[in-house]
Amino acid sequence: MQWQDVLIESGLWLAKAYALTLLIGAAVTWGLTRFTRWGRQFRRLSAGYFSLRRSWKPLAGVALILLLTLAAVRLDVLFSNWYNTMYSALQALDEPGFWAAMLLFSLLAAAHVIRSLFDFYVQQAFVVHWREWLNEQLLGRWMQKQAYYRSQSLSNLADNPDQRIQQDITNFAQSSMTLAVGLINALVSTIAFTVILWNLSGPMTVLGHEIPRAMVFLVFIYVFLATLLAIWIGKPLIRLNFLNEKLNADYRYALVRVREYAESIAFYRGERVEGRTLRHGFARVIGNAWDIIHRSLKFLGFNFVVTQTAVVFPFILQAARFFSKQISLGDLIQTAQAFGRLQDNLSFFRNIYDSFATYRATLERLSGFDDAIDAARAMELPHTHQDGGRLALLGVTVNRPDGHALIKDLNLEVAPGQPLLVRGPSGSGKTTLLRMIAGIWPHGSGEIIRPDTSALFLAQKPYLPLGTLRQALHYPQPADTVPAGQDEAILDRVQLGHLRDRLDVEDDWSRILSLGEQQRLAFGRLLIARPQAAFLDEATSAMDEGLEDAMYRLLREQLPDARIISVGHRGTLRRHHGFELSLQGESGGWTLNPIERP
């Protein structure tokens, strides 16, 4: 071989291979995204990332990765030719030729190392950028229009959205890159090494008939049959890997719930029940893990047999030609190497079927999550609009998810200084009515008028974000827009003055503060936000009557013009409200009466 011409030949080879791969790759990608389920799922998740209207960089990255992949194939071919040159020099006892081969190896090895490192960086950077984009897409859509909340009302609820956003996105991007690069490398290498093996293989007599280039045909038939059997053996792994992700996520979620409700479980002494539930969940994880092991054992065992059996084929087939001196030692070694490489390339789908099964499971989970987001965002919510600071319900009907009416044709208006108290038996729709007013309950009808831009809802258990106490006090507004000293004064007013020195301490405040303290902190939010309307859902249930009276007096003093609706069972709340809405429960009836204050 004239190695001085290799550089020019390699450049021409790369140009031709690049053009053909682009054309064929584009056609195959179009076909997969149109006619296969997983291809359509891939297009749905990533079409926006590769759109030229958004940015040219992703497609440029793909083009560069393709070039580096083809360069890897070309280097493999050059290494194959180098083995022939080196072993032929050894057989001929050609010392200068041997040392020339060593010099050539150092050049090829340097090119291989540089290409591999650069390829690693480019691929990993591409995956990171892809993850960033996809995370923002799914996270943004999940948060917009309160899809994170609405999706809880779906019958086909997507389980463990946290895992789908954090883990499945990572697996999707990394696996897409690995499979795509592996596929291109395998196909191009197959063509390149088929040419090498075609030139090196000789005829073979089978049943009295001489078959030219028999080795090439044998390797294709061998791998084709092996791949069909491997797919048949490994097909159940797709479902098993999907269950593995789901069952592990369910088990992890159950563990998180124990931590979240640790105090309630401890009071109930529910360790036995919770332990039994957790062990049952873990048993399902382990059962599925054993199913994966048993199926993988069959799959891997078959692959090992196929791979090891193929090792000696080229030596057996070429031995007669070598001993008859028709081919050199270098030809024999290159034949074995080309046969092995061709067998590996053709076995690509067989060898990575397990990874592809996991990839399909990841696609199913991400697509299912995307479907759930679409369904949640498409829910029709009650008609809500703004008319100054007005708060009114006009012909509002509140239904359960099954369509049963909890409240029928409700009409009322809340005036400043005349707070409304909502009472009724459990399950009558008191909290659901507040959800309806907030515009987050999709099961109902009617017209709701409220000051959307200036309304605050206080739940029975306030949400305290991770961070400082000051951030929790101002939630959901930023904490850096108030005059110095105001937060301390607010804490004093809601009788949390003992926390003044801890305003800027970062901690899990939902764990540190008692429920009564958390509820008083929520009243502090009202004093800071000064909304035109406030909705309190059992917002004083953890306070004694004295604290409850003090908080409501504080509201009347600090927010005299606010329109207030409270939900509660205590009779002591009546003295702080001007009207009482009594819900009758299953019948959907209601009565609205003024409260006579003493």
Side-chain angles (χ1 to χ4, degrees):
M1 175 175 290
Q2 300 298 319
W3 287 101
Q4 60 269 24
D5 298 329
V6 166
L7 188 60
I8 297 175
E9 292 176 5
S10 296
L12 292 174
W13 184 92
L14 279 175
K16 295 176 182 178
Y18 195 84
L20 287 174
T21 305
L22 277 180
L23 291 175
I24 297 173
V28 170
T29 301
W30 180 87
L32 291 175
T33 56
R34 290 297 188 279
F35 303 113
T36 65
R37 172 180 170 81
W38 62 270
R40 289 190 295 270
Q41 291 172 333
F42 177 88
R43 180 183 62 186
R44 177 180 176 183
L45 290 170
S46 296
Y49 181 68
F50 294 100
S51 173
L52 279 173
R53 286 177 292 184
R54 188 191 69 86
S55 175
W56 57 269
K57 292 181 179 180
L59 289 180
V62 171
L64 180 56
I65 291 170
L66 176 59
L67 179 62
L68 292 171
T69 302
L70 294 178
V73 175
R74 183 58 183 174
L75 281 172
D76 287 340
V77 171
L78 295 179
F79 272 115
S80 177
N81 293 333
W82 174 84
Y83 273 106
N84 193 329
T85 301
M86 191 268 291
Y87 277 103
S88 295
L90 287 175
Q91 184 182 23
L93 301 178
D94 180 5
E95 185 175 358
F98 172 79
W99 290 113
M102 292 299 103
L103 176 61
L104 177 62
F105 175 81
S106 64
L107 296 176
L108 291 177
H112 171 70
V113 169
I114 293 172
R115 189 218 64 86
S116 298
L117 292 176
F118 186 52
D119 185 46
F120 172 79
Y121 173 78
V122 171
Q123 286 192 33
Q124 295 305 309
F126 186 90
V127 168
V128 168
H129 290 308
W130 195 357
R131 284 176 56 193
E132 288 178 335
W133 179 86
L134 190 54
N135 180 83
E136 181 57 34
Q137 291 298 305
L138 288 181
L139 182 62
R141 281 165 33 77
W142 190 52
M143 298 300 293
Q144 287 171 2
K145 296 185 178 180
Q146 297 178 321
Y148 62 91
Y149 174 79
R150 299 187 198 178
S151 60
Q152 298 179 15
S153 302
L154 298 174
S155 56
N156 57 335
L157 176 64
D159 60 276
N160 306 297
D162 54 321
Q163 180 191 10
R164 302 196 187 203
I165 292 175
Q166 185 273 325
Q167 180 176 324
D168 289 343
I169 285 177
T170 302
N171 292 341
F172 168 72
Q174 187 63 61
S175 297
S176 295
M177 175 62 67
T178 301
L179 292 173
V181 170
L183 176 63
I184 293 171
N185 189 291
L187 292 177
V188 177
S189 292
T190 295
I191 297 172
F193 282 92
T194 297
V195 173
I196 293 175
L197 194 61
W198 183 269
N199 294 327
L200 292 171
S201 65
M204 181 178 180
T205 301
V206 179
L207 300 177
H209 298 281
E210 185 178 85
I211 302 176
R213 317 292 182 180
M215 190 180 300
V216 177
F217 298 108
L218 283 176
V219 70
F220 274 91
I221 294 172
Y222 179 79
V223 174
F224 177 74
L225 295 176
T227 299
L228 290 181
L229 286 173
I231 291 176
W232 177 71
I233 295 172
K235 187 175 182 180
L237 286 171
I238 294 178
R239 177 62 180 167
L240 291 174
N241 278 289
F242 178 85
L243 286 175
N244 183 58
E245 296 289 337
K246 181 181 185 303
L247 295 175
N248 273 287
D250 290 343
Y251 179 59
R252 185 168 57 248
Y253 178 67
L255 291 170
V256 171
R257 281 181 58 84
V258 171
R259 184 182 65 183
E260 183 177 357
Y261 295 98
E263 184 176 71
S264 296
I265 295 171
F267 274 127
Y268 278 112
R269 298 192 179 279
E271 298 84 7
R272 182 179 299 178
V273 174
E274 294 298 327
R276 185 164 58 246
T277 300
L278 292 173
R279 291 184 181 93
H280 174 70
F282 184 68
R284 297 181 66 194
V285 171
I286 293 301
N288 189 73
W290 278 116
D291 290 341
I292 291 177
I293 290 173
H294 293 150
R295 179 56 59 172
S296 296
L297 192 64
K298 299 174 184 176
F299 181 72
L300 292 174
F302 178 78
N303 278 346
F304 288 153
V305 170
V306 170
T307 301
Q308 293 303 312
T309 303
V311 170
V312 297
F313 272 9
F315 292 103
I316 293 174
L317 295 177
Q318 290 284 63
R321 298 182 68 209
F322 174 73
F323 289 123
S324 63
K325 298 184 179 180
Q326 297 179 41
I327 59 174
S328 67
L329 177 62
D331 291 334
L332 179 63
I333 296 299
Q334 188 177 18
T335 299
Q337 186 195 48
F339 185 93
R341 184 58 189 271
L342 188 57
Q343 191 269 144
D344 288 342
N345 293 332
L346 292 174
S347 302
F348 174 75
F349 287 106
R350 174 172 58 85
N351 291 329
I352 60 119
Y353 192 80
D354 185 31
S355 299
F356 186 68
T358 304
Y359 181 68
R360 286 284 302 274
T362 300
L363 271 177
E364 289 287 346
R365 289 178 59 79
L366 282 177
S367 298
F369 181 50
D370 201 43
D371 289 337
I373 292 176
D374 284 341
R377 289 161 60 93
M379 284 182 174
E380 292 194 12
L381 297 177
H383 179 56
T384 304
H385 67 275
Q386 187 175 4
D387 182 9
R390 189 180 175 200
L391 176 58
L393 308 179
L394 306 177
V396 169
T397 295
V398 181
N399 298 324
R400 292 193 310 219
D402 61 6
H404 178 80
L406 293 171
I407 305 172
K408 297 179 181 177
D409 197 25
L410 176 61
N411 294 276
L412 60 83
E413 182 160 357
V414 180
Q418 294 293 329
L420 174 69
L421 175 62
V422 182
R423 302 183 71 186
S426 296
S428 60
K430 301 184 296 297
T431 299
T432 306
L433 175 61
L434 292 188
R435 295 175 182 146
M436 189 82 172
I437 296 173
I440 62 176
W441 186 253
H443 310 290
S445 59
E447 182 178 2
I448 299 172
I449 303 172
R450 67 179 176 87
D452 286 339
T453 58
S454 182
L456 203 62
F457 290 79
L458 270 62
Q460 183 176 9
K461 181 174 175 54
Y463 172 68
L464 302 186
L466 296 176
T468 66
L469 182 61
R470 191 185 304 276
Q471 291 171 331
L473 178 62
H474 284 263
Y475 186 84
Q477 301 300 324
D480 55 357
T481 58
V482 298
Q486 177 176 320
D487 292 342
E488 289 79 358
I490 294 295
L491 289 182
D492 290 337
R493 288 174 182 169
V494 296
Q495 301 189 33
L496 292 175
H498 58 285
L499 299 173
R500 291 167 58 103
D501 296 335
R502 305 182 67 186
L503 271 169
D504 294 309
V505 175
E506 290 192 16
D507 214 324
D508 184 1
W509 290 102
S510 61
R511 178 182 57 85
I512 295 174
L513 301 181
S514 69
L515 182 55
E517 289 175 319
Q518 294 178 41
Q519 289 181 345
R520 278 179 276 160
L521 190 73
F523 272 84
R525 290 175 180 171
L526 280 177
L527 300 184
I528 291 174
R530 304 189 67 82
Q532 292 178 296
F535 306 89
L536 287 69
D537 183 13
E538 300 280 3
T540 58
S541 60
M543 304 181 198
D544 57 47
E545 293 182 3
L547 281 174
E548 176 187 90
D549 182 75
M551 292 302 104
Y552 270 96
R553 289 181 181 276
L554 186 62
L555 281 189
R556 192 162 61 244
E557 172 191 331
Q558 297 293 321
L559 304 174
D561 297 326
R563 294 156 176 84
I564 297 174
I565 296 180
S566 298
V567 169
H569 292 90
R570 286 180 179 172
T572 52
L573 289 172
R574 300 182 81 248
R575 70 170 71 106
H576 302 291
H577 296 80
F579 288 86
E580 180 176 337
L581 174 65
S582 298
L583 305 182
Q584 298 173 7
E586 289 294 320
S587 66
W590 54 274
T591 58
L592 180 64
N593 298 303
I595 298 175
E596 296 183 3
R597 297 181 182 176

